Amino acid sequence: MKMVTLPGGETVPALGQGTWKMAERRDRRAAEIAALRVGIDLGLTLIDTAEMYAVGEAVVGVRDAVFIVSKAYPQNASRDRLRRACEASLKRLATDRIDLYLLHWRGAVPLAETAEAMERLKASGQIRHWGVSNLDAADMDELIAAGGAACVTDQILYNLTRRGPEHDLLPWLAERGIAAMAYSPVEQGRLVRDDRLSEVAARRGVTPAQVALTWTLRRDEVIAIPKAGTVEHVRDNRAAADLVLDADDLAALDAAFPPPRAPRPLEML
Ligand code: NAP
């Protein structure tokens, strides 16, 4: 499994698991938790959750083997409210620490205040690392200038159809050794139905999801967190971490999904 090194030297698997909308439908809950557990057994031990989607059950009994990422809403990112939000997440996750705690997106609270509040949570041991999500390169410059140099990741929308971050944000993060975490790496399932991607996948004898994920992981600084609700999809995604795309594959993908030639605003889902 490719690993990504966070600032400070800790390594995490480049392929993790998203959990948005998981375990919400009663009829699918058991199957989805089972899929997450299979993923953990296969090495997909980085689990992404948030205030609005926490899947504590999936990590019962395997807490020490997983790296839990959770997030706080921007309105909870103030000095007073961040601790309370974090404590509520810890309770929901039935754990005593969050490995990586993120500001979900930028809101009205000054970045300096959020950075300071995150550092306090780190000092108290409730979180081990902190980062941000949906911040563009200008926001990141501001964050660093505001005392946020300990930020270890920016979780962003990045996949073959959302290549904007390649223009400025990904190089910015790579230069500083800050990990990029690609959310919706198969564009919420839309990419697996894309004919252009299917063509490359068929030529290689793999699935479109695998090509999309392997492509995302081709950059050293990128971690991808696909959400898969079935064991079959989890296994399919796990295999993507062992696939290597050759120059012909990459050229075909560049032709079908052109890289950005100019800056584009950071997109969000
Ligand atoms: P995604 O991972 O790109 O796509 C999930 C969809 O793709 C599901 O419908 C899933 O179906 C399907 N899928 C997964 N693997 C597949 C495979 N091998 N073959 C066929 N279909 C497959 O979308 P996402 O859930 O939006 O993003 C991933 C995670 O990123 C989220 O779960 C969440 O943790 C995080 N996220 C963060 C933010 C943020 O603002 N920071 C925003 C959005 C998402 P099944 O469920 O049937 O397997």
Side-chain angles (χ1 to χ4, degrees), residues 19-20 48 133-134 155 184 186 188 225 227 229 233 236-237:
T19 63
W20 191 16
D48 182 71
S133 180
N134 297 304
Q155 185 180 114
S184 309
V186 294
Q188 301 191 318
I225 48 167
K227 173 251 166 182
H233 287 167
D236 194 43
N237 294 349

Side-chain angles (χ1 to χ4, degrees), residues 29-220:
R29 188 179 175 88
E32 290 177 343
I33 299 285
L36 269 173
R37 290 295 288 242
V38 168
I40 291 170
D41 289 345
L42 292 174
L44 308 182
T45 53
L46 184 148
I47 311 287
D48 182 71
T49 68
E51 276 190 278
M52 51 189 168
Y53 45 101
V55 188
E57 249 176 275
V59 301
V60 172
V62 289
R63 174 64 189 94
D64 290 344
V66 299
F67 186 93
I68 296 181
V69 183
S70 193
K71 318 185 191 79
Y73 286 128
Q75 65 268 28
N76 286 339
S78 64
R79 199 171 289 116
D80 299 334
R81 295 181 67 158
L82 194 66
R83 181 173 303 278
R84 257 181 287 153
C86 179
E87 283 168 359
S89 286
L90 288 169
K91 204 165 162 196
R92 264 197 307 275
L93 290 161
T95 186
D96 61 349
R97 78 239 178 242
I98 288 168
D99 297 290
L100 173 54
Y101 199 37
L102 310 181
L103 168 64
H104 209 146
W105 61 89
R106 189 171 181 179
V109 177
L111 292 173
E113 184 174 335
T114 301
E116 193 193 315
M118 289 285 192
E119 286 299 325
R120 288 218 190 113
L121 290 178
K122 217 164 80 178
S124 68
Q126 287 162 302
I127 68 172
R128 297 179 52 242
H129 306 278
W130 67 269
V132 293
S133 180
N134 297 304
L135 263 62
D136 64 17
D139 292 325
M140 290 304 290
D141 273 329
E142 245 186 86
L143 176 69
I144 302 301
C151 169
V152 302
T153 194
D154 188 8
Q155 185 180 114
I156 52 167
L157 177 60
Y158 179 56
N159 64 46
L160 275 162
T161 62
R162 313 273 191 172
R163 295 187 66 170
E166 286 172 34
H167 193 267
D168 47 8
L169 183 55
L170 289 178
W172 189 101
L173 294 168
E175 222 171 85
R176 290 159 183 82
I178 297 177
M181 204 178 282
Y183 74 71
S184 309
V186 294
E187 185 64 15
Q188 301 191 318
R190 292 181 285 278
L191 258 173
V192 302
R193 297 184 289 273
D194 189 292
D195 290 343
R196 301 163 294 176
L197 186 57
S198 299
E199 219 172 277
V200 176
R203 203 178 58 225
R204 290 297 303 267
V206 298
T207 67
Q210 287 170 343
V211 174
L213 292 173
T214 302
W215 177 87
T216 307
L217 296 179
R218 77 201 184 290
R219 297 180 72 112
D220 289 343

